[in-house]
Amino acid sequence: MAVTGGGPHRGGGAGPVAPGREPRTRGWPGGLRDYALEMRGSVRDAERGPLLVVTGLIVIWIVFQALDDKFLSPRNLSNLSVDIVGTGLVAVGIVFVLLIREIDLSVGSVSGLAGAAFAVLNVNHGMPEWLAVIVAIAAGMAVGAFHGVFFAWLGVPAFVVTLAGLLIWNGLTLDLLGASGTINIDEEGLVASLTSRHFGDDAAAYAVAALGTGGYFLAAHRKRARHRAAGMPYRLTGEIGLRTGLLAVLAFAAAHTLNRFQGLPLALLIFLVVLVVSDYVLRRTRYGRRVYALGGGVEAARRAGISVERVRIAMFMVSGTMAAIGGLFVASGLTSASPTTARAAGSGMLLINAIAAAVIGGTSLFGGRGSPWSVLLGVLVIQSIASGMGLLGVEDAVQFMITGGVLLAAVAADALSRRAATRRGRP
């Protein structure tokens, strides 16, 4: 819900009114009424948004809590907040590639390769952990650049390039580890602490909740001021306050729940920092605007002076880098790297979950729409289903079918949303 600025009035001028729409009132009661009408219109027009994903997540939590009262326990929710990180980091890289209308099918194998490279270098060759981490992440970045060059400069479809990469890097991982070798990493080391360390002081979780809420409030007001000064639609102060209040309730409730177990997990903090930084890059930098422009259309991006090839290579480098970082978190959770886990990654579960997290959260498979924050909601849905079914002892076969059904529903909703927008004359 927004008010069109540019007029001399305190709430902004009336501005042009779309055909068939009445001018919006500017008072607080009218703002709430307009906001409710807009939400109803969004659902009616099949425009997905965070509201629908959050509603689905709430339903999932209610169902699993009714079936097993341990689901919403502080212990399980704390474990859930750590379990989402590995897949979530990989999904952040997927978002960058999806925004330019492409796909990266190699991220599962690249994740396995990064974990194996770290274990071999650190455990077998005695390389310091911090240096082995850097080499593993650099390997992921190099793999992404390799894919990007074949796609952007040689014209090989990204689907084919990354499908080949899925096989190549999975094979290399198996070769590094050996046919029957499992490499256990130091349980007290740097990588293992990524998923095992918690900030036990209650103030840490509450501080993150306060910073997140305050940051959102300031960012929303700055955006409102910019839009109002430029004569663009902007949100009412009351709506910003309402959204901030809801965010504060959720953030502090999450902090309280985490503090009832072991405190704020380091893995979750790192994940949130990655989301903030990546969202800032995409929304607040010139480079990010080029990414969205390329997702809107290749030829239009070329006419705007954007180096399409460089942006494409960069996006695959981001995907490879995030896959490698996610792979280190997966290895941290398992405290080992083995051919078994490498084959599991190569079979596609990590890949499917990462793509599902991005799409369910709201990133479009058709490019040009989405943000890293969509990953947070999407991966919560995916991991909540896995956690709930794990508590209930549901077989893996059923979990796969349910996850696949959720992904299909998300893609279908994305397609319907795009079709509805096309009929209204929007891109």
Side-chain angles (χ1 to χ4, degrees):
M1 193 279 304
V3 176
T4 303
H9 302 289
R10 185 177 180 181
V17 179
R21 288 183 179 267
E22 294 298 326
R24 296 177 177 177
T25 57
R26 289 183 283 271
W28 170 246
L32 285 177
R33 182 173 62 254
D34 290 341
Y35 184 63
L37 290 173
E38 185 167 305
M39 288 298 98
R40 186 181 67 181
S42 297
V43 174
R44 184 184 64 244
D45 295 337
E47 295 178 355
R48 286 188 308 126
L51 178 63
L52 296 180
V53 183
V54 170
T55 302
L57 182 62
I58 292 173
V59 171
I60 291 170
W61 283 15
I62 291 174
V63 170
F64 282 123
Q65 178 65 16
L67 296 174
D68 190 325
D69 58 6
K70 297 185 184 68
F71 181 79
L72 293 181
S73 66
R75 180 187 185 91
N76 190 60
L77 291 180
S78 180
N79 291 336
L80 179 64
S81 72
V82 175
D83 292 340
I84 67 174
V85 175
T87 303
L89 290 171
V90 177
V92 170
I94 289 289
V95 167
F96 279 78
V97 176
L98 290 179
L99 286 175
I100 61 171
R101 299 188 178 190
E102 300 301 336
I103 192 68
D104 188 348
L105 300 178
S106 70
V107 290
S109 295
V110 175
S111 297
L113 176 63
F118 167 80
V120 169
L121 292 173
N122 174 243
V123 178
N124 292 358
H125 297 285
M127 180 179 288
E129 276 197 277
W130 64 269
L131 183 56
V133 167
I134 293 176
V135 173
I137 295 175
M141 183 182 297
V143 167
F146 176 81
H147 295 159
V149 167
F150 269 83
F151 166 57
W153 285 352
L154 301 183
V156 182
F159 179 90
V160 176
V161 172
T162 57
L163 180 60
L166 183 153
L167 300 174
I168 293 170
W169 312 124
N170 195 46
L172 179 57
T173 301
L174 297 175
D175 183 64
L176 284 174
L177 294 173
S180 59
T182 296
I183 303 178
N184 296 318
I185 64 176
D186 183 6
E187 295 184 4
E188 303 296 328
L190 172 65
V191 170
S193 67
L194 291 175
T195 54
S196 64
R197 183 179 178 184
H198 293 70
F199 297 99
D201 189 347
D202 290 0
Y206 290 127
V208 171
L211 285 174
T213 303
Y216 172 81
F217 181 78
L218 292 176
H221 264 282
R222 289 185 61 184
K223 181 178 180 180
R224 178 183 186 276
R226 289 196 306 270
H227 282 204
R228 184 175 184 178
M232 298 170 61
Y234 60 88
R235 299 191 186 280
L236 290 171
T237 304
E239 184 186 352
I240 294 175
L242 177 61
R243 287 170 175 260
T244 303
L246 292 174
L247 177 61
V249 170
L250 293 175
F252 280 92
H256 175 70
T257 301
L258 293 174
N259 284 334
R260 289 177 59 194
F261 183 56
Q262 291 180 321
L264 175 68
L266 174 62
L268 179 61
L269 178 61
I270 293 174
F271 184 36
L272 293 175
V273 170
V274 169
L275 291 178
V276 170
V277 172
S278 56
D279 184 72
Y280 178 83
V281 170
L282 284 174
R283 294 184 181 276
R284 295 289 182 263
T285 67
R286 180 179 299 178
Y287 199 85
R289 289 189 287 272
R290 292 174 179 174
V291 173
Y292 281 107
L294 180 56
V298 176
E299 292 306 317
R302 290 188 190 278
R303 294 192 185 100
I306 296 174
S307 177
V308 172
E309 289 75 18
R310 290 183 180 180
V311 174
R312 283 174 165 173
I313 293 174
M315 293 304 96
F316 279 94
M317 290 177 67
V318 171
S319 180
T321 302
M322 295 309 302
I325 296 174
L328 293 176
F329 276 83
V330 172
S332 173
L334 299 172
T335 62
S336 67
S338 70
T340 301
T341 55
R343 287 192 181 97
S347 69
M349 278 314 301
L350 180 58
L351 166 66
I352 294 302
N353 286 339
I355 294 177
V359 175
I360 290 170
T363 299
S364 176
L365 285 171
F366 301 99
R369 189 178 78 239
S371 83
W373 284 106
S374 65
V375 169
L376 180 59
L377 289 175
V379 76
L380 273 174
V381 170
I382 292 296
Q383 200 59 46
S384 294
I385 294 173
S387 176
M389 290 189 293
L391 287 175
L392 296 175
V394 179
E395 296 179 355
D396 289 344
V398 178
Q399 295 188 35
F400 294 161
M401 288 187 286
I402 293 177
T403 302
V406 172
L407 175 59
L408 179 61
V411 175
D414 185 32
L416 290 174
S417 172
R418 184 178 177 84
R419 181 182 301 177
T422 302
R423 288 175 177 173
R424 291 193 301 270
R426 291 164 50 188

